[in-house]
Amino acid sequence: MFVPLCSILGITLTELFNGERIETEHIIEKTDKVLTNVIEENKMYSIILIISSIIMSISIVIFFIPVLMALDKTPSIIIISIGLFLLMLGWSLKLTVWKRKNNKVIENTGMGFSSALTLVFITLKLTNYINWPWIWVFSPLWIGIGLIILFFMVILIIGRIKKGKWW
């Protein structure tokens, strides 16, 4: 799509990627700079994708540790939670690279680590794997909400202290 667009606009690909007109004597220099930037960016994306794949592979192995080691319920849940966190971290890295490479915007779906962990706890509760009270099953959500409220309160207090309007 870039080549037809450039021909319609009467510019070169280098001028399109730089976002400015380039004088003929500087075109080779600017083209080299653009190509170098693209290559470096692709190297960075490749490294991030490899790291995210490794993190996701480790998370899948972590999911099986409780079964292989015949752990009790509480250590099993902690280990599975760590695996879930790593899995979501790996997916987040992959999604970030995809968004940047494809210049896409993805709206927040609201499904974060706390929500996923709560779903795991609900499943464990409904299958009678854990006998926790429901308030603890939903603990990732209320702890997350509490941390968000605490964060905003700290920002509000710091803002008031800096303005000298504590009371």
Side-chain angles (χ1 to χ4, degrees):
M1 289 181 61
F2 293 126
V3 175
L5 177 64
C6 288
S7 66
I8 290 170
L9 296 173
I11 59 174
T12 66
L13 281 170
T14 305
E15 290 173 322
L16 178 68
F17 291 135
N18 273 338
E20 63 184 7
R21 291 275 183 185
I22 302 171
E23 295 179 24
T24 309
E25 61 269 4
H26 298 293
I27 200 143
I28 293 175
E29 175 186 320
K30 290 284 189 171
T31 303
D32 287 345
K33 191 175 183 179
V34 167
L35 287 174
T36 303
N37 289 341
V38 168
I39 291 169
E40 290 298 318
E41 191 173 277
N42 279 333
K43 280 184 191 177
M44 181 188 69
Y45 289 152
S46 296
I47 291 169
I48 292 173
L49 287 174
I50 290 169
I51 290 170
S52 68
S53 295
I54 290 170
I55 290 172
M56 291 172 64
S57 299
I58 290 170
S59 73
I60 292 169
V61 170
I62 287 174
F63 285 137
F64 292 102
I65 289 175
V67 175
L68 296 175
M69 297 181 69
L71 297 175
D72 290 334
K73 290 180 182 179
T74 303
S76 296
I77 291 169
I78 292 170
I79 290 172
I80 290 170
S81 300
I82 292 169
L84 181 63
F85 174 75
L86 291 175
L87 184 65
M88 294 187 75
L89 177 67
W91 273 113
S92 295
L93 289 172
K94 284 186 180 291
L95 186 61
T96 300
V97 169
W98 179 81
K99 284 180 0 182
R100 289 192 179 183
K101 280 181 97 171
N102 296 309
N103 198 19
K104 300 284 183 180
V105 176
I106 298 175
E107 293 182 22
N108 185 0
T109 61
M111 181 65 173
F113 175 70
S114 296
S115 301
L117 189 56
T118 302
L119 290 175
V120 169
F121 286 171
I122 290 170
T123 304
L124 293 173
K125 173 78 171 169
L126 293 175
T127 58
N128 291 324
Y129 191 79
I130 58 174
N131 294 321
W132 297 354
W134 280 102
I135 188 134
W136 289 111
V137 171
F138 289 104
S139 64
L141 291 179
W142 59 261
I143 290 171
I145 291 168
L147 289 173
I148 290 169
I149 292 170
L150 179 67
F151 175 73
F152 283 116
M153 287 176 61
V154 167
I155 290 174
L156 181 66
I157 291 169
I158 290 172
R160 287 184 177 239
I161 289 172
K162 284 186 176 182
K163 288 181 181 178
K165 297 180 181 179
W166 177 244
W167 292 109

